[in-house]
Amino acid sequence: MTVSPNRSIAIIGVGSTMSRSLALWLASVGWNIALVSRSENSLSKIADEVKAAQTNADAKVIYRTADAGNPDSLTSTLDWCAQQLGGKLDVLNYNAARVAPSHITKLTPEELNLDLQVSAVGTLVAGQWFTRNANTDNISKGEWPLFLVTGGTLDREPQIACSSLCAAKAASQSLSRLFAQALPQEAQIVVGMPLIRASIVDPETGGYTEGYHPDTIIHTVFKPFFEDREKLQGGVDNWTVEQLEDYALSQTPPVSIHDAARTISRLCLSANLSVLSLSPFKNFEGHNSPLEERLDRARNWLEIAACLKAKDLQVPSQFFTGNSSGDWTQMVGDLQALSDLAASYSVGIAYEAVAWGTYIDTWEESLRVVQDVNRGNFGLCLDSFHVAARVWGDNTVESGIREDADLDLRKSLDRFVETCPLDKIFYVQLSDGEKFVPLLRPGHRF
């Protein structure tokens, strides 16, 4: 898919690697681009490069210096960017960070505070500003504004030598994930987090780390966010917030996710392992978006499953209430179409009743779905958590369990053994859970 031209983006924290490559690519497709950084000298040079790459004679490339760690400076600069580019932005990319050595035993509070101001406070200010200045005019056409926060895996894999940056990035990414929960509903904005594991620059050679050239990363990890934000006619329930394609990117030359899946399959085979299931392909049946669009999305999942030589594609029951229907005939028809498509890839569909399903939330109802779909490659994924959550657990009471919980669960499992054909149990998934603290009440985050 191509990315629509004549859109607007502000990139905060422009440097010589990732953000430069992003700006050059967007100039090549005719975007209006605002570049923001602390350094006037390097910023003007990058702006000249971006202007030279611009393919749209009417598009603007502007730049301005600002301190991303200063809320007033950042806000006034973003206001200027929006004004210069027509009033609203389609994408806001926050890429600002202070990169400097900082050993945990020598890190000072002042250094940590400085990094938190740039990475964390800057992310907060930018995200809140975007809620008031995002272009939502094209949502009816399936195109959503995007808050794109560049990151890595330092929050999960901290490194002693850059302790301050690790802490600051962890805070920034936590804020980004919170924005990802809130902004789609409250501001009609999707959040994207391209995560790169390796260092872009090889510290020994000074060149780019093998397989991690910025242009490659932009097209492999960043570009899908720009494409996918224009394909949300059916809503945002299948939007992917985080993209980490570490294996595919680390190969030289870089490989596609399909080739990566084939390699993983070969590795599994060499270890005498098989891939049982690819999961989860969610919120499919009963959705109000055109069936053909949902099947197009399914094809990509099924292709990957086939490359992995996975036996099944796991499909949880519909749990998106905003743009779906509980019409039984439609749900069964949708799943029949999915099963028929999956059969062409020699893949099964393992249907799972999730406890928070909008229309199907018990094994009894999911078995009825399996019976009505009536396809040889369509069966059950029986998840111990979801079964127990409906008849045994209760997160609204102090004990965490229902009255007569053990007896009711035993009766439910006995009925399952008696009524479910063995060949329709594709696999059993053993999952656990925990008591809610605080208890589930109105206003609880779940």
Side-chain angles (χ1 to χ4, degrees), residues 161-173:
C162 53
S163 302
S164 186
L165 179 63
C166 293
K169 278 295 187 181
S172 171
Q173 289 176 246

Side-chain angles (χ1 to χ4, degrees), residues 194-236:
L195 305 178
I196 311 303
R197 174 167 292 175
S199 173
I200 304 302
V201 178
D202 187 326
E204 294 184 4
T205 66
Y208 294 124
T209 301
E210 189 174 6
Y212 281 82
H213 191 285
D215 292 348
T216 300
I217 294 172
I218 293 302
H219 284 274
T220 310
V221 183
F222 282 66
K223 185 179 177 183
F225 285 113
F226 288 81
E227 295 174 329
D228 292 348
R229 78 173 196 93
E230 296 188 40
K231 300 189 292 185
L232 298 173
Q233 292 86 352
V236 299

Side-chain angles (χ1 to χ4, degrees), residues 50-253:
V50 176
K51 289 175 183 176
Q54 182 59 259
T55 59
N56 181 354
D58 297 324
K60 293 183 177 181
V61 177
I62 61 174
Y63 68 93
R64 179 164 167 164
T65 58
D67 180 0
N70 182 313
D72 292 337
S73 174
L74 180 56
T75 300
S76 63
T77 298
L78 286 169
D79 287 340
W80 177 83
C81 292
Q83 183 183 27
Q84 294 294 310
L85 298 184
K88 298 287 183 179
L89 298 180
D90 297 284
V91 178
L92 176 59
N93 174 216
Y94 195 81
N95 186 58
R98 193 184 76 95
V99 181
S102 55
H103 194 284
I104 188 62
T105 61
K106 299 176 181 178
L107 174 64
T108 66
E110 291 76 18
E111 286 179 290
L112 178 59
N113 183 63
L114 181 59
D115 284 336
L116 287 170
Q117 284 292 125
V118 176
S119 291
V121 175
T123 299
L124 177 67
V125 171
Q128 292 178 345
W129 178 90
F130 198 40
T131 64
R132 305 184 298 274
N133 295 276
N135 178 19
T136 57
D137 293 345
N138 296 317
I139 285 181
S140 62
K141 302 174 186 176
E143 180 180 337
W144 285 57
L146 168 64
F147 182 39
L148 191 69
V149 184
T150 308
T153 57
L154 289 177
D155 61 326
R156 307 173 197 174
E157 302 167 2
Q159 299 177 17
I160 292 175
C162 53
S163 302
S164 186
L165 179 63
C166 293
K169 278 295 187 181
S172 171
Q173 289 176 246
S174 291
L175 290 168
S176 301
R177 293 179 181 114
L178 291 169
F179 275 132
Q181 295 178 41
L183 296 193
Q185 292 77 28
E186 297 181 17
Q188 294 185 299
I189 295 169
V190 291
V191 176
M193 298 172 62
L195 305 178
I196 311 303
R197 174 167 292 175
S199 173
I200 304 302
V201 178
D202 187 326
E204 294 184 4
T205 66
Y208 294 124
T209 301
E210 189 174 6
Y212 281 82
H213 191 285
D215 292 348
T216 300
I217 294 172
I218 293 302
H219 284 274
T220 310
V221 183
F222 282 66
K223 185 179 177 183
F225 285 113
F226 288 81
E227 295 174 329
D228 292 348
R229 78 173 196 93
E230 296 188 40
K231 300 189 292 185
L232 298 173
Q233 292 86 352
V236 299
D237 48 300
N238 284 295
W239 172 261
T240 299
V241 174
E242 300 182 32
Q243 298 261 13
L244 172 60
E245 296 189 26
D246 179 59
Y247 175 81
L249 280 173
S250 67
Q251 303 308 294
T252 306

